[in-house]
Amino acid sequence: MATRQREGTILEPAKAKVKPPKMFKVLLLNDDYTPMDFVVAVLQTFFSYSRERATQIMLKVHREGMGVCGVYSRDVAATKVEQVTAFARQHQHPLRCVMEEAE
Ligand code: TYC
């Protein structure tokens, strides 16, 4: 409700204008050449999964073509994509890692 001040100024109540930040999925894509062990190491190193959970995610990507590694703010997701891609290229693997906006 608006409040009338002594000077006659109308002050509108502050609007709730803070939206939750957009979130982004980081995805791994399957290919025929990157070794399974390397993908498991990527998931452990850059996404902090246990060896067992990393193996489950790698197998899901291997069977289904892609899989989600995690959901992050835009900056963190972009950094993960860069780090994974650089690491894969250093080791001459074609592994692809991409981000897309989460619903
Ligand atoms: N398909 C690969 C193989 O058979 C393994 C693999 C899994 C590669 C997941 C990429 O994101 C990937 N060696």
Side-chain angles (χ1 to χ4, degrees), residues 28-36 39 58 61-62 95-96:
L28 275 183
L29 309 185
N30 188 37
D31 66 73
D32 292 339
Y33 304 102
T34 305
M36 289 183 173
V39 180
M58 180 281 293
V61 176
H62 175 70
L95 181 64
R96 279 171 300 156

Side-chain angles (χ1 to χ4, degrees), residues 6-99:
R6 245 185 312 155
E7 297 80 8
T9 311
I10 304 288
L11 296 181
E12 295 296 337
K15 294 216 175 67
K17 58 190 169 208
V18 183
K19 281 187 285 174
K22 283 183 185 174
M23 299 299 281
F24 292 80
K25 294 188 270 192
V26 174
L27 303 165
L28 275 183
L29 309 185
N30 188 37
D31 66 73
D32 292 339
Y33 304 102
T34 305
M36 289 183 173
D37 280 357
F38 184 83
V39 180
V40 171
V42 163
L43 287 160
Q44 290 185 263
T45 304
F46 296 103
F47 301 94
S48 303
Y49 288 111
S50 66
R51 185 167 178 79
E52 293 67 32
R53 185 74 187 112
T55 302
Q56 290 174 347
I57 295 169
M58 180 281 293
L59 285 173
K60 181 183 163 68
V61 176
H62 175 70
R63 293 182 183 129
E64 299 179 14
M66 68 163 60
V68 179
C69 307
V71 180
Y72 305 95
S73 65
R74 184 193 296 274
D75 285 3
V76 173
T79 300
K80 300 272 182 208
V81 168
E82 276 178 20
Q83 289 175 333
V84 169
T85 303
F87 188 62
R89 297 304 169 268
Q90 275 166 28
H91 292 266
Q92 279 91 48
H93 296 312
L95 181 64
R96 279 171 300 156
C97 181
V98 299
M99 61 192 268

